[in-house]
Amino acid sequence: MRVYSSRLLGSESSLVLHGGGNTSVKATALDPFGTTHDVLYVKGSGWDLATIEPQGFAPVRLDLLRRLSELPSLADSALVRAQRSALLDPGAPDPSIEAVLHAMIPFAYVDHTHADAVVAITNTPNGEEHARAAFGPRVLLVPYVMPGFKLARTVGDMTRSIDWEGCDGLILLGHGIFTWGSSARASYDAMIRLVTAAEEYLDARGAFRSVRRSECGAGDLVTLARLRREVSELAGRPLVARLNQSAEACGFAAHEKVDSIAARGPVTPDHIIRTKRVPLIFGDEPADAAMSYRDAYGDYFRRHADGSLTMLDPAPRWAVWRDRGVIAFGPTVADANVVHDIAEHTVAVIQWAEVLGGWCALSESDLFAVEYWELEQAKLRKRGSGRPLDGRVAFVTGAASGIGRAVAHELSRQGAAVVGADIRGVPSDQETPTCRHFVCDVTKASDVARAVGETVRQFGGLDILVSNAGVFPRSARIEEMDESLWQDALAINLTSHQRVLQACIPYLRHGVEPSVVVIGSKNVPAPGLGQAAYSASKAGLTQLARVAALELAADGIRVNVLHPNAVFDTGAWTPEVLAARAAAYGVSVEEYKHNNLLGVEVAAHDVALAVAALAGPSFRRTTGAQIPIDGGNDRVI
């Protein structure tokens, strides 16, 4: 029941967002010696209420938690260690920092959320008065206190003589809400009842009707790409950017007071680790806006740092693009999506609070204390360095099958956000949040422009182009070749690549470590009989890539070519084609498949690994290279 009701709370984003909130249940458990203990099963660090499992609840001895609550003071790092020492299961996650407060509340079930409606009411100049009017006398209003041990001590002092049966919940001003009950249903119902009261209070005053909605201006996608690069440079690593142009995001971006109301702070201090204190607000000059944000963040740090702290990166995590929408940033698509969701709720809550006298977040010093809280810093340190291509954005042509499909999957596996383009569609179950697909005929300029534009719109820019789309025509000697075979090979294997390059260059110019990888062929250095159209088109493509390397180097764009050979797990190599090519060389099919110096078959995944390496940091000083992926060919060597 504790798992079930926790998931009910976690599935409602207006109550809990991405790891926020916590729940608990008091029960008994046996230790390894068979001794029964009163235990608090409390949500563990790193778990999300929406998807929590039984093992996500840390079993902590209640007697120790209650003894901790009696201490006059305790550093939060010491509290974490003490709570871990009281675990009955040493493999359990770290208990929530609010475990002591959960233990102090004398009911079996305790729920804590950061409900939008509650924080909208309390984050106002007269928040306490509004809260009393909305919730009535049966709730305890707790002034803002830093989460953790200080909050537990404050609540303990306020409730020493309280009749808990006569109290329905705790309203933590500027923070959230606690409810409880003897059953999961009772605690859940108390939460919903109080949040509903808050929503009715807001609705009666026109808060929900106050949310602005409008259509966004078109917005130059090159400006979006420029902003993403500037923000990535401030962050010291590539960041994905997600543009939100919903009616609500556009209405907020066009709000006449947006410069003021967006810059007062987050909805709840728990969000600051994801969003920073304020967003970047800009028009059409992202470089100037990014530098101003950097300087302001440095000043904010210096105002509150005590000399023992190291400043975090000065990059914003969300931005308001005036009249164009709201942008969320993150080192991965998942991180950007979290910020996107938080920003969506933030722009609504801010406008609700404006109706009650004005949006009024916590003070700078209170927010700084949470942003640089030792426990939050520890979480950041545990995240590790990530994957090689985290934050990078890639566009892959010919991505529905064969080499292109393998490349798209490998780039995504290594952290990149990928858009694949192909004349054929792919089943929806092959798409993921980090690997999208667009039907695109690369011989049509309008299709290419749309697919490239959607890549930038989805992820904020373009860093990696894998120009792969191609055809392997049937064998035909020059004297027997019909015109359509020649023209089709040139149109797809050469001209379409020029068209894709032309569409991508304006965005690559503002990419993070931009790189182009062109898929050529062994037939360039060593052409095959009966493949004049294929060999000539791939040779022309290689020459196009060489010129691109010359022209784009000044913009920091690297252009390299891979020359695969005999990649038999692709659609081009039908049994008929394979038999024909083997016959052309007078060998068996099996001999033909291993006809290289290493005696190995080359798979699409081998090419994909080479693409990822060329696009990644290992080859950041290489451009204009031509690299064979062929097992060693004596004619090439």
Side-chain angles (χ1 to χ4, degrees):
M1 287 307 297
R2 177 67 287 176
V3 171
Y4 172 69
S5 62
S6 297
R7 287 184 172 189
L8 286 181
L9 295 172
S11 65
E12 175 49 62
S13 61
S14 67
L15 296 176
V16 173
L17 276 174
H18 299 292
N22 40 72
T23 59
S24 69
V25 61
K26 299 176 181 73
T28 59
L30 295 176
D31 66 18
F33 304 102
T35 304
T36 300
H37 295 273
D38 290 326
V39 170
L40 179 78
Y41 287 92
V42 65
K43 178 199 162 191
S45 177
W47 284 82
D48 194 312
L49 288 180
T51 56
I52 197 164
E53 300 283 355
Q55 60 268 32
F57 288 90
V60 196
R61 286 173 46 192
L62 261 174
D63 59 341
L64 189 139
L65 288 175
R66 286 170 174 160
R67 287 183 64 188
L68 289 174
S69 71
E70 297 169 0
L71 295 175
S73 64
L74 186 65
D76 285 322
S77 57
L79 174 61
V80 169
R81 291 193 296 272
Q83 290 182 169
R84 279 213 66 83
S85 72
L87 285 172
L88 287 192
D89 177 4
D94 285 336
S96 166
I97 195 65
E98 308 292 10
V100 172
L101 179 50
H102 282 258
M104 291 165 50
I105 297 173
F107 289 86
Y109 290 83
V110 178
D111 295 339
H112 171 45
T113 74
H114 305 131
D116 289 349
V118 172
V119 292
I121 287 173
T122 64
N123 282 335
T124 56
N126 299 311
E128 189 168 348
E129 295 176 20
H130 287 300
R132 182 59 66 201
F135 302 115
R138 288 178 58 86
V139 297
L140 183 65
L141 302 184
V142 182
Y144 176 76
V145 182
M146 182 82 172
F149 187 78
K150 291 180 181 178
L151 176 59
R153 280 293 304 172
T154 297
V155 173
D157 291 341
M158 295 178 69
T159 57
R160 292 199 188 281
S161 59
I162 195 175
D163 175 10
W164 286 95
E165 293 291 346
C167 185
D168 293 337
L170 302 176
I171 302 298
L172 311 180
L173 301 180
H175 181 168
I177 175 175
F178 272 83
T179 59
W180 48 79
S182 58
S183 67
R185 179 61 180 264
S187 186
Y188 176 83
D189 282 348
M191 177 66 68
I192 299 306
R193 185 169 59 253
L194 288 175
V195 173
T196 299
E199 291 171 346
E200 291 172 347
Y201 186 84
L202 289 168
D203 192 34
R205 286 150 184 80
F208 301 145
R209 296 188 297 277
S210 72
V211 174
R212 304 288 183 88
R213 296 173 177 84
S214 67
E215 292 185 4
C216 280
D220 180 8
L221 291 177
V222 171
T223 299
L224 176 61
R226 289 172 58 204
L227 175 69
R228 171 180 167 264
R229 186 177 70 174
E230 296 289 346
V231 172
S232 295
E233 288 179 355
L234 291 181
R237 57 180 171 173
L239 299 179
V240 171
R242 180 174 175 186
L243 175 62
N244 182 355
Q245 292 190 308
S246 67
E248 292 79 9
C250 295
F252 187 73
H255 199 294
E256 66 277 4
K257 294 170 60 179
V258 69
D259 288 55
S260 169
I261 59 178
R264 296 178 194 168
V267 166
T268 175
D270 297 67
H271 291 168
I272 196 169
I273 202 68
R274 297 279 197 174
T275 64
K276 283 196 158 55
R277 188 177 64 88
V278 295
L280 179 150
I281 304 171
F282 78 107
D284 291 318
E285 285 302 326
D288 293 344
M291 293 306 102
S292 295
Y293 188 96
R294 176 201 63 190
D295 295 343
Y297 186 85
D299 292 341
Y300 156 75
F301 177 80
R302 287 183 287 273
R303 282 196 296 273
H304 302 288
D306 61 4
S308 65
L309 299 170
T310 300
M311 190 176 80
L312 300 173
D313 73 72
R317 291 303 186 266
W318 67 294
V320 178
W321 189 2
R322 290 191 192 90
D323 301 316
R324 301 291 188 268
V326 172
I327 305 165
F329 304 101
T332 67
V333 173
D335 290 320
N337 287 344
V338 169
V339 176
H340 166 275
D341 292 347
I342 292 174
E344 265 197 335
H345 286 258
T346 298
V347 301
V349 172
I350 285 174
Q351 292 174 86
W352 300 347
E354 281 291 289
V355 172
L356 299 186
W359 171 245
C360 182
L362 296 174
S363 69
E364 259 197 14
S365 59
D366 284 332
L367 292 171
F368 183 87
V370 176
E371 186 175 1
Y372 283 85
W373 192 11
E374 57 180 327
L375 300 185
E376 292 294 354
Q377 297 307 295
K379 290 180 186 178
L380 291 176
R381 287 193 293 271
K382 288 180 181 178
R383 291 182 184 176
S385 57
R387 297 165 294 180
L389 300 178
D390 273 348
R392 305 282 295 284
V393 180
F395 181 67
V396 182
T397 64
S401 63
I403 290 174
R405 180 179 176 183
V407 167
H409 287 179
E410 182 60 26
L411 294 178
S412 177
R413 189 189 70 82
Q414 294 198 26
V418 181
V419 171
D422 200 294
I423 197 168
R424 292 165 293 175
V426 300
S428 59
D429 61 1
Q430 290 186 17
E431 285 201 322
T432 69
T434 61
C435 194
R436 306 295 303 280
H437 188 90
F438 288 97
V439 175
C440 171
D441 183 345
V442 291
T443 66
K444 295 180 179 178
S446 59
D447 273 20
V448 171
R450 178 183 61 84
V452 174
E454 281 303 310
T455 302
V456 178
R457 191 180 303 279
Q458 290 279 337
F459 300 120
L462 179 60
D463 310 313
I464 300 168
L465 165 62
V466 183
S467 202
N468 165 72
V471 293
F472 188 68
R474 60 180 173 82
S475 295
R477 289 181 174 270
I478 296 172
E479 61 188 291
E480 301 166 349
M481 189 185 306
D482 59 64
E483 184 177 353
S484 63
L485 186 149
W486 176 265
Q487 293 297 340
D488 288 348
L490 289 177
I492 298 174
N493 292 348
L494 177 57
T495 305
S496 75
H497 292 260
Q498 179 272 337
R499 184 175 292 114
V500 170
L501 262 174
Q502 193 171 51
C504 290
I505 286 171
Y507 304 110
L508 288 168
R509 187 169 283 126
H510 301 292
V512 179
E513 299 177 3
S515 174
V516 178
V517 181
V518 174
I519 305 301
S521 170
K522 179 275 298 181
N523 279 35
V524 173
L529 299 173
Q531 281 297 325
Y534 180 75
S535 299
S537 61
K538 285 291 188 177
L541 173 60
T542 301
Q543 198 73 346
L544 173 67
R546 294 175 69 196
V547 173
L550 294 171
E551 292 184 355
L552 301 178
D555 292 312
I557 303 171
R558 300 184 295 111
V559 184
N560 295 290
V561 183
L562 288 176
H563 290 310
N565 182 43
V567 183
F568 297 114
D569 59 342
T570 65
W573 288 96
T574 63
E576 294 76 18
V577 170
L578 191 55
R581 298 312 299 157
Y585 284 91
V587 297
S588 70
V589 168
E590 197 61 27
E591 289 172 327
Y592 183 71
K593 289 172 72 173
H594 294 84
N595 186 25
N596 56 60
L597 296 178
L598 296 177
V600 296
E601 285 191 41
V602 179
H605 184 60
D606 297 316
V607 182
L609 289 172
V611 169
L614 269 179
S618 298
F619 285 86
R620 63 183 181 273
R621 297 293 183 264
T622 300
T623 194
Q626 298 182 51
I627 302 173
I629 308 291
D630 58 10
N633 184 290
D634 55 357
R635 293 175 61 208
V636 172
I637 293 173

